[in-house]
């Protein structure tokens, strides 16, 4: 088996094996994603393959007509919006969307890379993930393109990504509340280790500063983007003697939790409490009352990511970073604060 390096020279896998000081079967195991190779040996072989510009030839079976989406969890309506967007583009290209649940919010689990190298999809869309260098090397060496959607951190320059204007969304949500006259505005953003959560929090703080208001530490909460987290934080905030008159929740699911906490405590929305969400997932318009929220173009984000994956290899050489606009959708969960 052979390939060519970036200068067009023939490179045999036997030569890579000699340079790495291993057997040819060991190189083959690495290429096929086998787990019975030590991490140090695997890393050395991957580095040599990358240095020689190795791209596995596809004389055998071609890549499966799959677009694989990797989530750390699949239980939210937020994930369904991304899946719908990916399917919109994949179907038009004759591809099927496959779903994988693996790892944490930051990165896919180590078992995932072995499976994806065997499946050889057309491309991989990673959600809320960073990409470890070793995983990136293996995907590159097998010519499996990848894109990160709404990355947890700041991706390396050579990692394509699609995100949205989280800071602007946080600013718009909070300015809507301060423009209505709210002075005591709380935020329940997402996990503290996610870039989108911190960007929305920065937007909130900027809007508060623009209104000449103090973003008091006790009004800032880090949630988990789920209903229960929003409910628990809201119960604590709304039981305070100086409870906020408005809450900006960093996801619609958390906002639904805030609405439930208000109901439990006997507070009317928006009469006694205004609530703004984030994402604009379908249930937001059917909540009681219908939720004012920041529209994040989740379906379009996935559509753009799949289009990037399906581009010809020469059009993907330069990594791209796309940031899509967000905008406020005003419904019935916000109003000027009631006089106390």
């Amino acid at each position: 088996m052979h390939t060519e390096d970036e200068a067009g020279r023939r490179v045999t896998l036997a030569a890579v094996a000699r340079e790495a000081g291993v057997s040819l079967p060991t190189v083959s195991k690495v290429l096929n994603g086998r787990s019975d190779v030590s991490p140090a040996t695997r890393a050395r072989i991957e580095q040599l393959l990358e240095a020689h510009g190795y791209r596995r030839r596809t004389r055998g079976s071609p890549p499966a007509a799959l677009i694989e989406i990797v989530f750390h969890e699949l239980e939210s309506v937020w994930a369904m919006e991304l899946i719908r967007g990916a399917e919109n583009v994949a179907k038009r290209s004759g591809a099927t969307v496959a779903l994988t649940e693996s790892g944490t919010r930051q990165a896919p689990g180590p078992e995932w890379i072995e499976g994806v190298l065997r499946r050889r999809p057309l491309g991989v869309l990673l959600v809320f993930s960073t990409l470890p260098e070793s995983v990136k090397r293996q995907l590159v060496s097998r010519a499996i393109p990848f894109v990160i959607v709404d990355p947890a951190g700041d991706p390396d320059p050579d990692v394509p990504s699609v995100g949205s204007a989280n800071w602007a969304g946080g600013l718009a949500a909070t300015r809507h509340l301060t423009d209505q006259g709210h002075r005591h505005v709380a935020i329940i953003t997402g996990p503290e280790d996610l870039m989108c959560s911190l960007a929305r929090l920065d937007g909130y703080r900027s809007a508060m500063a623009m209104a000449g208001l103090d973003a008091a530490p006790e009004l800032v909460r880090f949630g988990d983007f789920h209903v229960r987290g929003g409910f628990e934080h809201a119960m604590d905030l709304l039981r305070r003697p100086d409870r906020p008159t408005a809450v900006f929740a960093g996801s619609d699911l958390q906002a639904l939790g805030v609405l439930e906490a208000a109901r439990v405590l006997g507070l009317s929305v928006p009469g006694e409490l205004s609530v703004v969400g984030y994402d604009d997932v379908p249930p937001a318009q059917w909540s009681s009352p219908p939720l004012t929220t920041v529209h994040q173009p989740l379906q379009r984000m996935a559509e753009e990511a799949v289009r990037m994956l399906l581009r010809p290899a020469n059009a993907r050489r330069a990594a791209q970073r796309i940031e899509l606009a967000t905008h406020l959708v005003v419904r019935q969960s916000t109003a000027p604060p009631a006089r106390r």
Side-chain angles (χ1 to χ4, degrees):
M1 188 180 295
H2 64 269
T3 186
E4 295 182 356
D5 66 14
E6 291 176 344
R9 296 184 295 271
R10 305 283 273 187
V11 178
T12 66
L13 294 185
V16 171
R18 284 195 302 272
E19 194 171 344
V22 300
S23 66
L24 185 57
T26 299
V27 176
S28 180
K29 287 179 181 180
V30 171
L31 285 171
N32 288 293
R34 294 270 297 276
S35 58
D36 51 343
V37 179
S38 73
T41 299
R42 180 185 301 278
R44 187 164 70 252
I45 293 170
E46 292 287 354
Q47 287 168 357
L48 287 169
L49 290 169
E50 185 177 18
H52 286 296
Y54 180 83
R55 298 293 184 275
R56 187 170 187 171
R57 297 209 174 199
T58 56
R59 290 177 180 169
S61 59
L66 295 175
I67 298 295
E68 184 163 340
I69 310 182
V70 188
F71 295 89
H72 83 281
E73 61 181 11
L74 280 168
E75 57 190 47
S76 77
V77 65
W78 182 93
M80 291 304 302
E81 290 298 290
L82 291 173
I83 293 168
R84 289 190 184 99
E87 286 186 330
N88 288 344
V89 177
K91 284 180 180 178
R92 292 196 291 269
S93 301
T96 299
V97 172
L99 308 178
T100 299
E101 188 175 47
S102 176
T104 66
R105 288 190 300 265
Q106 285 74 31
E111 79 290 342
W112 170 75
I113 189 63
E114 297 175 21
V116 79
L117 295 181
R118 289 192 300 270
R119 292 187 290 273
R120 294 190 60 226
L122 292 174
V124 177
L125 192 158
L126 297 116
V127 181
F128 265 7
S129 296
T130 53
L131 200 58
E133 188 63 30
S134 60
V135 173
K136 182 169 63 177
R137 261 200 313 269
Q138 291 180 80
L139 293 174
V140 168
S141 70
R142 306 319 187 281
I144 300 175
F146 53 87
V147 177
I148 294 180
V149 173
D150 208 1
D154 189 20
D156 293 335
D158 60 345
V159 175
S161 65
V162 180
S164 68
N166 288 291
W167 179 86
L171 181 79
T174 311
R175 284 198 68 177
H176 172 67
L177 294 169
T178 59
D179 286 350
Q180 287 189 320
H182 291 278
R183 296 293 177 262
H184 206 46
V185 180
I187 179 173
I188 306 171
T189 189
E192 195 168 2
D193 57 353
L194 293 184
M195 186 170 67
C196 63
S197 305
L198 298 175
R200 291 169 200 175
L201 175 58
D202 285 345
Y204 159 85
R205 285 176 169 151
S206 296
M208 293 291 281
M210 290 167 64
L213 302 173
D214 180 31
E218 61 270 18
L219 296 181
V220 175
R221 305 297 173 94
F222 289 95
D224 58 5
F225 286 146
H226 292 296
V227 174
R228 176 163 292 279
F231 173 79
E232 291 173 351
H233 281 296
M235 288 293 288
D236 183 60
L237 286 164
L238 298 177
R239 282 174 170 154
R240 296 174 58 88
D242 57 344
R243 64 174 176 81
T245 62
V247 176
F248 165 37
S251 74
D252 287 342
L253 294 181
Q254 289 185 152
L256 294 178
V258 176
L259 293 178
E260 176 60 13
R263 186 194 68 79
V264 168
L265 295 174
L267 298 173
S268 67
V269 177
E272 296 171 281
L273 178 72
S274 285
V275 182
V276 178
Y278 200 104
D279 288 329
D280 195 23
V281 293
Q285 61 185 309
W286 301 111
S287 65
S288 183
L291 186 64
T292 294
T293 186
V294 175
H295 177 81
Q296 180 175 210
L298 295 170
Q299 288 195 30
R300 190 177 161 213
M301 287 161 63
E303 289 171 354
E304 292 293 340
V306 173
R307 289 189 186 101
M308 291 170 72
L309 292 175
L310 294 176
R311 285 176 187 150
N314 59 354
R316 291 196 309 265
R317 291 191 192 282
Q320 296 188 48
R321 302 181 73 166
I322 297 175
E323 184 174 275
L324 300 177
T326 54
H327 66 269
L328 187 70
V329 178
V330 179
R331 297 193 178 103
Q332 297 167 33
S333 64
T334 53
R339 292 183 179 181
R340 293 185 179 178

